[in-house]
Amino acid sequence: MIRLNGAGKVVDFVMNDKCAAGMGRFLEVMARALEVDLRELGRLSGETLEAASISNMCTVFAESEVVSLVAMGRPREEIILGLHESVAERVSNMAWRLDVEPAVTMTGGVAKNTGVVRCIEARLGLEMHIPPEPQIIGIKSWTAL
Amino acid sequence: MFYAGIDAGSFTTKAVVLHNEELVGFIVMPTGTGGSGVARRALEEVLVLISGVRTAR
């Protein structure tokens, strides 16, 4: 997460210090455990308001937690919303550390997950700008220079 | 003028082609364990995508 000044220069940044927690890989693993297409996560989580509580931050432990929730009959939509909330919680904590303020842009593959985007926006109380192809925005900007 | 860019990440490799700052094609593929070969392959794939012509190897 990078904080820029008005001239587009880097002022400060924070990086995820909790292994794969909160990264796209986390969601990839969970989608596989739930036998759901990664691209469907956003839509599915939008079909419920009830989030399952996911207490483990570790990708491996959270995967077991997800499998247990499935076995207990918890609807997968609620599990997915819980996963999105857990990612959003970590991301917004990082954002607070940088004194986040508009305008905020989200890049990377996770920005294609509308569920995660909604959860982060709700926590930060702002709307984020999502580029049309968030996975390639970095290299696209550099190539244009 | 056409420009190509490659982002060789640890997990995925991306290649983009711009024409006068306009995005004309891109590809995202797993980096895998192929080393620098994947960067070449990404560039080749994105060129195929936009032109249907393969680059000489």
Side-chain angles (χ1 to χ4, degrees):
Chain A
M1 197 170 295
I2 308 168
R3 185 183 177 90
L4 304 173
N5 67 14
K9 297 283 180 210
V10 176
V11 177
D12 200 0
F13 71 96
V14 286
M15 276 170 68
N16 189 7
D17 52 2
K18 298 283 195 298
C19 61
M23 292 171 56
R25 189 78 183 127
F26 176 86
L27 293 169
E28 280 181 6
V29 169
M30 301 311 156
R32 203 188 50 202
L34 287 163
E35 296 176 336
V36 165
D37 188 312
L38 185 65
R39 288 163 294 192
E40 289 292 297
L41 291 182
R43 185 182 61 76
L44 287 168
S45 71
E47 289 176 8
T48 184
L49 292 172
E50 187 118 4
S53 141
I54 311 286
S55 42
N56 279 296
M57 203 133 55
C58 166
T59 303
V60 175
F61 291 161
E63 188 184 13
S64 324
E65 210 180 339
V66 163
V67 172
S68 304
L69 287 166
V70 171
M72 288 189 310
R74 199 74 196 255
R76 59 179 187 173
E77 289 81 1
E78 296 180 11
I79 301 173
I80 297 167
L81 184 57
L83 291 164
H84 289 167
E85 287 292 359
S86 125
V87 169
E89 185 185 345
R90 256 165 277 148
V91 170
S92 48
N93 283 338
M94 284 165 60
W96 299 133
R97 272 199 271 159
L98 283 186
D99 296 322
V100 65
E101 59 182 340
V104 177
T105 297
M106 181 168 170
T107 65
V110 183
K112 291 171 117 174
N113 180 326
T114 51
V116 171
V117 171
R118 272 195 303 271
C119 290
I120 297 174
E121 286 180 335
R123 280 168 189 269
L124 298 183
L126 49 81
E127 250 181 63
M128 294 190 293
H129 172 67
I130 312 293
E133 291 296 343
Q135 281 176 294
I136 54 151
I137 192 72
I139 185 62
K140 181 170 173 270
S141 318
W142 276 104
T143 305
L145 285 180
Chain B
M1 180 82 103
F2 282 93
Y3 292 97
I6 299 168
D7 175 358
S10 58
F11 194 64
T12 58
T13 294
K14 300 94 170 168
V16 302
V17 175
L18 306 187
H19 181 245
N20 299 332
E21 296 186 18
E22 197 74 38
L23 182 69
V24 288
F26 72 94
I27 195 160
V28 180
M29 52 170 61
T31 300
T33 53
S36 62
V38 69
R40 182 179 298 277
R41 205 153 48 81
L43 184 60
E44 195 173 293
E45 292 288 325
V46 78
L47 291 175
V48 169
L49 211 66
I50 62 169
S51 66
V53 178
R54 278 202 183 265
T55 53
R57 299 208 80 156

